[in-house]
Amino acid sequence: MAPSASPPQRPGARPTMSLPALVPAGATPPRPPAAPRPPAVPGVPSVAPLAATPGIPSVAPLGAGPKAPTLSVPAIPSVAPAVPPAAAVPPPPPTSADKGPGLDLQQLADLEARCAKLDQLDYFELLALERTATPADIKRAFYRESRTYHPDRFFQMDSKELKERVNELYKRVTEAYYVLRDDTKRKKYVADVTGPERAQKLRFTEASEAETKAAAKKEQEEQIGTHPKGRQFFQQAQKDADAGNWSAAERNLKMALTYEPANARYKERLAEIQKQSQDESRDKGGSFKIR
């Protein structure tokens, strides 16, 4: 008997698929076989695998595959450093505050010596200078001492006694430079420290300052005079002399002497100009002689 032909499909119809057999109502579907449990790992709690759900592919739990070999590292025992006995520990080096920052033994000895006899040193001895020192020498000596004993270098020190010594020495060094750099003050100071009153003249005090100003004023008055008119004629005479106008210079000096007849400087300058004028007149007269 010939098989029955399948009915012809309608145009546009989708192909049909065969469905699995349905489970009768009330019957329990068969459960897939349970996956084997992985071997237990020491220290890791075991977890039961999830139940398989129909239609969802099962996923192997973690650790189900072959386990990679592990390397066992032996524990290293901790060793505490050995503590030497108290007698074997060397004492710490002295701090800079004990000897002063940047000062070597020689500078410390020099500081002690100079502070001990500070009241017996004059300004030249304090700066280690000769009394014939030039202004450049005085300036170099002051910079040398001020760099070494400037109080800012000893600001962090704990020794109050050493800080006081440094401050007193630096103040005296600055005082020495203030006096010796001035030509008038230095001249007066040299005369004081080389005289019989050296012990009382080592410091340039306010009285010394007043004496120096008075001496400078007196010297200036001796040079140019005290009377305003006398100074005016004297200065004009100096200009005439510089220009070679001897007769005008002589005339102005005689006018200056009318205001200050006792001025020794005016008299001395008048004699110089008169002699210069006579010498020039003699030279001019001799040039016209017939030989």
Side-chain angles (χ1 to χ4, degrees):
M1 186 174 183
S4 60
S6 60
Q9 295 183 354
R10 292 179 296 176
R14 296 181 180 178
T16 58
M17 297 178 62
S18 60
L19 297 175
L22 298 177
V23 180
T28 303
R31 299 178 62 182
R37 290 189 176 186
V41 180
V44 179
S46 60
V47 180
L50 298 176
T53 305
I56 299 177
S58 61
V59 179
L62 298 177
K67 187 176 181 182
T70 57
L71 298 177
S72 60
V73 180
I76 301 176
S78 60
V79 180
V83 179
V89 178
T95 60
S96 59
D98 297 336
K99 63 177 183 177
L103 295 182
D104 53 23
L105 295 178
Q106 181 62 35
Q107 290 174 333
L108 278 175
D110 181 66
L111 175 64
E112 294 285 345
R114 287 205 280 180
C115 288
K117 56 180 182 178
L118 195 59
D119 294 333
Q120 288 80 37
L121 296 176
D122 60 41
Y123 294 151
F124 293 98
E125 295 170 342
L126 188 64
L127 296 178
L129 292 171
E130 298 291 336
R131 288 172 185 161
T132 57
T134 63
D137 296 335
I138 296 171
K139 188 174 183 179
R140 281 193 297 267
F142 169 70
Y143 284 166
R144 181 191 66 235
E145 300 299 325
S146 63
R147 282 195 302 266
T148 304
Y149 301 108
H150 198 282
D152 290 347
R153 298 185 58 198
F154 302 83
F155 180 76
Q156 301 293 339
M157 288 178 51
D158 297 330
S159 178
K160 183 178 179 181
E161 181 181 359
L162 185 57
K163 290 171 71 174
E164 291 178 353
R165 291 182 181 179
V166 168
N167 289 338
E168 182 62 26
L169 179 59
Y170 181 78
K171 183 172 68 175
R172 194 70 63 89
V173 167
T174 306
E175 180 181 307
Y177 178 64
Y178 169 76
V179 174
L180 298 183
R181 71 177 181 177
D182 187 275
D183 294 339
T184 305
K185 293 184 177 70
R186 184 173 67 252
K187 181 180 178 181
K188 175 73 167 52
Y189 186 77
V190 171
D192 290 341
V193 296
T194 55
E197 298 181 356
R198 168 186 165 84
Q200 292 79 24
K201 300 291 185 177
L202 290 176
R203 300 287 302 275
F204 197 81
T205 59
E206 294 181 359
S208 302
E209 181 77 17
E211 292 177 4
T212 303
K213 289 182 179 179
K217 183 179 179 181
K218 182 179 180 181
E219 184 178 359
Q220 184 180 15
E221 290 176 350
E222 291 177 353
Q223 291 294 329
I224 62 175
T226 57
H227 196 282
K229 288 291 185 179
R231 291 199 300 267
Q232 182 179 355
F233 281 108
F234 177 75
Q235 292 172 356
Q236 185 61 41
Q238 293 285 70
K239 294 179 181 179
D240 294 335
D242 293 339
N245 192 352
W246 308 113
S247 59
E250 182 179 356
R251 184 170 59 252
N252 284 317
L253 280 172
K254 290 179 178 179
M255 289 296 298
L257 283 170
T258 60
Y259 294 97
E260 294 185 40
N263 192 307
R265 176 61 176 161
Y266 292 178
K267 294 179 181 180
E268 179 183 357
R269 187 57 176 159
L270 178 59
E272 293 175 356
I273 289 178
Q274 287 176 342
K275 182 178 184 302
Q276 186 72 23
S277 178
Q278 291 174 2
D279 293 343
E280 186 174 340
S281 299
R282 186 172 56 251
D283 293 340
K284 287 182 179 180
S287 62
F288 290 102
K289 291 181 180 181
I290 300 176
R291 297 180 181 180

